[in-house]
Amino acid sequence: MEWFKRKPAPPPTERKEIPDGLWTKCNSCGEIIYVRELEKDLWVCRTCSFHFRIRSTDYMDILLDADSFTEYDVGLLSLDPLQFKDSKKYPDRIAEARKKTGRNDAVIAGIGAIDGRQVSFAIMDFSFVGGSMGSVVGEKIARAIERSLDRQVPLIIVSCSGGARMQEGILSLLQMAKTSGLLARLSETKIPYISVLTNPTTAGVMASYASLGDVIIAEPGALLGFAGRRVIEQTIGQKLPENFQTSEFFKDHGFLDKIVHRHELRKTVALLLDYLSQ
Ligand SMILES: [Zn+2]
């Protein structure tokens, strides 16, 4: 049974230039910030350090050496094995996302370099159906892990996802087992895997490869978790703490190794690669 096919990606929609003099308000402290300044600060508020959500390509600019990245598996595209329809038909939803993002699915994967050290790199794109993991995302992550194994290079996955893609039902859940199984193989070979969690990383992605890093780091204030707060409260019949499902809560409870400010992200990942590759 085939779950995906090859098809060229549509041309990306042009990034809208930010007009001069545009201001925005910090979602956290309410400070009015000049957008160009914010851009220079890597979209972190100078007043309260709130981390605005940025695009997958921005993370690539932050983390990877310039012009070092070669993308793989660009043409993988979801089929519609379940003929799924919610408010829209699944193929229509995918077509819309492809048009909006210029990508074929919710992850970019390939080979790049950080401080001259080659890495297998994958990053999720939240703007593509909420960064959800269907068979294409699972397959591309699996291949990224295999590239690490083949080339004996560290693996970096930057996660940003609402979880499994419901429209692909059990096939999306299957990706959790597939990626986790391959990561177990990677672990046996002692090749380092650094998992970077950004806002939000939840559900099926959090419950598989995102939480299986040798080192797991997250941006401050990111929403992390499996089920939603309301579902858990209803299930356990208890009120949950205010900061529940944040990076800070995860760190305090041993699920995270380190919370890293966006300005320190590249330096931290490079340092970890250094330590782990000794
Ligand atoms: Zn702020």
Side-chain angles (χ1 to χ4, degrees):
M1 184 174 171
E2 259 197 328
W3 300 331
F4 44 78
K5 62 182 176 187
R6 290 194 160 270
K7 209 170 172 183
T13 37
E14 284 297 301
R15 180 180 185 178
K16 285 197 183 75
E17 275 301 302
I18 300 155
D20 266 333
L22 192 74
W23 300 76
T24 192
K25 194 172 171 182
C26 173
N27 300 4
S28 177
C29 71
E31 182 82 8
I32 306 291
I33 316 165
Y34 189 42
V35 171
R36 289 209 186 276
E37 289 296 317
L38 195 54
E39 212 174 6
K40 264 190 232 154
D41 292 336
L42 306 179
W43 297 89
V44 177
C45 173
R46 278 186 194 180
T47 310
C48 72
S49 280
F50 174 76
H51 285 48
F52 287 75
R53 187 181 295 158
I54 55 173
R55 300 169 311 171
S56 45
T57 46
D58 294 328
Y59 280 113
M60 291 167 79
D61 289 343
I62 292 170
L63 280 166
L64 297 173
D65 295 353
D67 302 322
S68 71
F69 187 70
T70 308
E71 189 173 355
Y72 283 69
D73 308 317
V74 185
L76 293 188
L77 183 66
S78 278
L79 293 176
D80 184 23
L82 307 178
Q83 272 94 55
F84 194 91
K85 184 172 183 282
D86 47 72
S87 58
K88 280 177 202 154
K89 284 184 181 162
Y90 181 47
D92 294 346
R93 194 177 285 282
I94 291 295
E96 215 171 81
R98 291 177 69 218
K99 197 172 162 204
K100 186 178 94 177
T101 60
R103 304 211 160 267
N104 278 334
D105 217 299
V107 69
I108 302 166
I111 292 286
I114 297 175
D115 277 0
R117 193 189 295 277
Q118 205 183 64
V119 292
S120 174
F121 184 87
I123 178 156
M124 304 192 70
D125 191 334
F126 196 79
S127 59
F128 195 104
V129 197
S132 51
M133 172 174 61
S135 45
V136 170
V137 168
E139 179 64 19
K140 286 176 82 166
I141 294 287
R143 292 185 188 189
I145 303 167
E146 281 170 342
R147 272 191 292 278
S148 268
L149 285 162
D150 290 347
R151 295 170 186 241
Q152 302 276 299
V153 295
L155 173 70
I156 315 271
I157 301 177
V158 182
S159 292
C160 187
S161 174
R165 188 171 296 165
M166 307 315 281
Q167 294 88 344
E168 289 191 28
I170 191 70
L171 299 178
S172 68
L173 297 181
L174 185 66
Q175 308 309 318
M176 295 168 67
K178 184 165 80 179
T179 52
S180 301
L182 277 167
L183 283 173
R185 273 181 53 202
L186 190 73
S187 174
E188 282 162 15
T189 61
K190 313 280 183 214
I191 295 169
Y193 163 37
I194 300 171
S195 175
V196 181
L197 313 182
T198 68
N199 183 34
T201 300
T202 60
V205 167
M206 188 68 209
S208 56
Y209 55 85
S211 57
L212 290 173
D214 294 309
V215 181
I216 306 172
I217 61 181
E219 287 198 327
L223 171 71
L224 310 175
F226 184 62
R229 165 189 284 269
R230 198 161 42 95
V231 174
I232 301 172
E233 282 185 338
Q234 281 169 0
T235 308
I236 64 172
Q238 282 180 37
K239 196 102 188 88
L240 293 163
E242 204 42 58
N243 68 344
F244 180 66
Q245 295 191 323
T246 59
S247 307
E248 291 69 18
F249 191 88
F250 264 54
K251 171 80 169 49
D252 287 348
H253 291 81
F255 279 87
L256 261 190
D257 294 300
K258 197 169 171 55
I259 296 173
V260 182
H261 191 289
R262 193 173 287 159
H263 295 177
E264 302 293 321
L265 196 56
R266 182 191 167 91
K267 207 169 76 185
T268 305
V269 171
L271 202 61
L272 284 169
L273 287 175
D274 248 15
Y275 289 154
L276 298 172
S277 304
Q278 296 293 322

